[in-house]
């Protein structure tokens, strides 16, 4: 009954757009910046200050990742949209305002998009999903390796770059050990995201609810209906989640609302509303 009451409180907050002040959280506690990739380019958003700052203008595909020291951005863009999604992965050095090509267009991957592009921690490698496979690209060797098959559209690295949290097409979530080449079943669900301290995962359960699970104790916090398109990521201190939910206007035009979620206390606050169908974003 406790979890059901908390579930009802959170859903009520979302439905009323947080008019009830008791459901909101203090934005000044939201540390770091959320890096957004939208149609105008890449923008940094400070949730504590509620301020936007343009980082890189341009039309980029809907993926973005930030490196560990928050100085570089990883993304990808089409090089010839008339021929399909012919994409290259790039890195942008924010401090020196420089572009670097990370991985050129690879015809063996086809013309489908590359999803969930990430830095591999403690290495000069990147990873991405293409054609339902997770690839690791070694920047020093210029070589890519297919690591996992039948991967859902989200995954996370642990902070050491030795383990991957992912879900397969059967909606089962695993932790894969790159050293031992073994996988451990965690739970059922999809779109798993690992916290920065490697202690929690957030995922969508089979009933479409957002769940945060403590890996060691298996304790869970449940609450928000994720039936529509959605993305979520932990805050740098792992106390909150940034949640982007796609909604539709009366005229059936898509737009996105970004929320901050205090999953332990069942509090939710709307951060902003955007006129886009979805965002690629990262929070560091």
């Amino acid at each position: 009954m406790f979890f059901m009451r908390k579930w009802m409180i959170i859903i009520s907050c979302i439905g009323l757009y947080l008019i009830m002040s008791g459901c909101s959280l203090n934005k000044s506690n939201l540390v770091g910046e959320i890096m957004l990739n939208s149609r105008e380019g890449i923008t940094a958003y400070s949730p504590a200050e509620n301020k936007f700052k343009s980082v890189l203008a341009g039309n980029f595909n809907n993926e973005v990742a930030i490196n560990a020291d928050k100085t570089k951005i990883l993304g990808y863009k089409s090089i010839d949209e008339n021929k399909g999604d012919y994409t290259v992965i790039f890195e942008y050095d924010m401090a020196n305002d420089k572009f670097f090509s990370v991985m050129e267009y690879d015809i063996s991957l086809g013309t489908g998009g590359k999803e969930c592009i990430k830095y591999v921690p403690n290495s000069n490698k990147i990873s991405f999903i293409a054609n339902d496979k997770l690839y690791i690209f070694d920047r020093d060797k210029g070589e890519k390796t297919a690591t996992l098959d039948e991967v859902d559209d989200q995954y996370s690295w642990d902070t050491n770059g030795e383990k991957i949290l992912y879900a397969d097409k059967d909606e089962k979530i695993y932790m894969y050990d790159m050293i031992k080449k073994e996988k451990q079943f965690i739970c059922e669900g999809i779109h798993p995201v690992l916290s920065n301290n490697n202690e929690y995962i957030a995922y969508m359960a089979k009933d479409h609810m957002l769940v945060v699970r403590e890996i060691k104790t298996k304790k869970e916090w449940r609450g928000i209906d994720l039936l529509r398109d959605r993305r979520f990521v932990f805050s740098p201190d792992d106390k909150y989640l940034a949640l982007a939910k796609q909604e539709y206007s009366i005229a059936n035009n898509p737009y996105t609302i970004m929320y901050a979620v205090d999953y332990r206390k069942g509090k939710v606050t709307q951060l902003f509303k955007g006129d886009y169908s979805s965002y690629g974003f990262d929070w560091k």
Side-chain angles (χ1 to χ4, degrees):
M1 290 299 293
F2 172 78
F3 285 108
M4 184 172 290
R5 287 196 297 270
K6 180 171 285 189
W7 175 80
M8 291 301 294
I9 290 172
I10 297 176
I11 297 301
S12 297
C13 290
I14 291 290
L16 294 174
Y17 292 97
L18 308 168
I19 293 174
M20 297 172 60
S21 59
C23 295
S24 63
L25 55 88
N26 189 346
K27 292 183 182 179
S28 64
N29 293 327
L30 303 177
V31 300
E33 289 184 325
I34 300 175
M35 200 69 67
L36 303 160
N37 190 353
S38 65
R39 294 174 185 172
E40 280 81 22
I42 297 175
T43 303
Y45 171 72
S46 170
E49 300 176 348
N50 194 31
K51 292 182 179 180
F52 294 87
K53 178 179 64 179
S54 177
V55 175
L56 183 63
N59 184 15
F60 306 107
N61 296 60
N62 195 22
E63 293 290 341
V64 64
I66 312 171
N67 69 342
D69 62 9
K70 300 187 288 188
T71 60
K72 297 176 182 178
I73 299 172
L74 197 65
Y76 81 107
K77 60 181 179 178
S78 297
I79 57 177
D80 191 342
E81 295 181 354
N82 295 324
K83 295 181 179 179
D85 192 11
Y86 283 58
T87 57
V88 295
I89 299 176
F90 69 87
E91 183 176 61
Y92 176 63
D93 185 330
M94 292 183 282
N96 298 304
D97 189 26
K98 291 183 178 180
F99 269 98
F100 299 93
S101 175
V102 176
M103 181 179 173
E104 296 297 326
Y105 171 69
D106 188 335
I107 194 171
S108 68
L109 296 176
T111 58
K114 299 173 184 65
E115 298 179 292
C116 208
I117 299 172
K118 294 180 179 293
Y119 288 98
V120 179
N122 297 323
S123 74
N124 195 28
K125 300 175 182 178
I126 66 166
S127 57
F128 59 90
I129 296 173
N131 304 319
D132 298 330
K133 293 183 179 181
L134 191 146
Y135 289 87
I136 296 176
F137 180 76
D138 190 319
R139 300 175 66 175
D140 294 325
K141 298 179 180 179
E143 298 176 352
K144 71 178 186 302
T145 303
T147 304
L148 294 170
D149 293 327
E150 298 299 315
V151 178
D152 187 43
D153 63 354
Q154 186 60 272
Y155 68 94
S156 293
W157 287 97
D158 74 339
T159 53
N160 297 318
E162 296 178 353
K163 296 181 179 180
I164 305 172
L165 180 75
Y166 76 100
D168 64 13
K169 296 300 179 179
D170 294 324
E171 300 189 3
K172 289 181 171 58
I173 297 174
Y174 296 94
M175 187 75 78
Y176 181 74
D177 191 313
M178 292 286 295
I179 307 299
K180 298 179 180 179
K181 306 298 182 185
E182 297 175 351
K183 66 180 182 180
Q184 176 188 0
F185 174 74
I186 303 297
C187 60
E188 293 188 339
I190 55 176
H191 314 311
V193 177
L194 185 63
S195 65
N196 299 286
N197 61 12
N198 300 334
E199 295 179 3
Y200 301 89
I201 64 171
Y203 66 96
M204 188 175 82
K206 287 193 172 184
D207 59 1
H208 305 294
M209 290 295 165
L210 173 63
V211 179
V212 177
R213 179 186 179 100
E214 188 173 26
I215 297 175
K216 185 176 181 180
T217 66
K218 298 182 181 180
K219 180 180 179 179
E220 291 187 345
W221 295 265
R222 299 170 59 89
I224 300 174
D225 189 342
L226 300 177
L227 185 59
R228 297 183 186 273
D229 290 346
R230 74 337 265 150
R231 288 174 181 244
F232 43 88
V233 66
F234 281 94
S235 61
D237 58 9
D238 295 321
K239 294 180 179 180
Y240 307 94
L241 287 172
L243 168 65
K245 288 190 70 181
Q246 181 173 301
E247 304 290 351
Y248 290 87
S249 67
I250 297 176
N252 204 35
N253 294 318
Y255 62 92
T256 296
I257 299 178
M258 182 74 74
Y259 298 98
V261 180
D262 185 337
Y263 55 90
R264 291 186 179 93
K265 297 180 180 180
K267 294 184 177 182
V268 186
T269 289
Q270 179 178 321
L271 298 178
F272 61 87
K273 175 181 175 181
D275 297 326
Y276 311 107
S277 58
S278 62
Y279 286 106
F281 66 94
D282 199 2
W283 193 355
K284 296 292 186 181

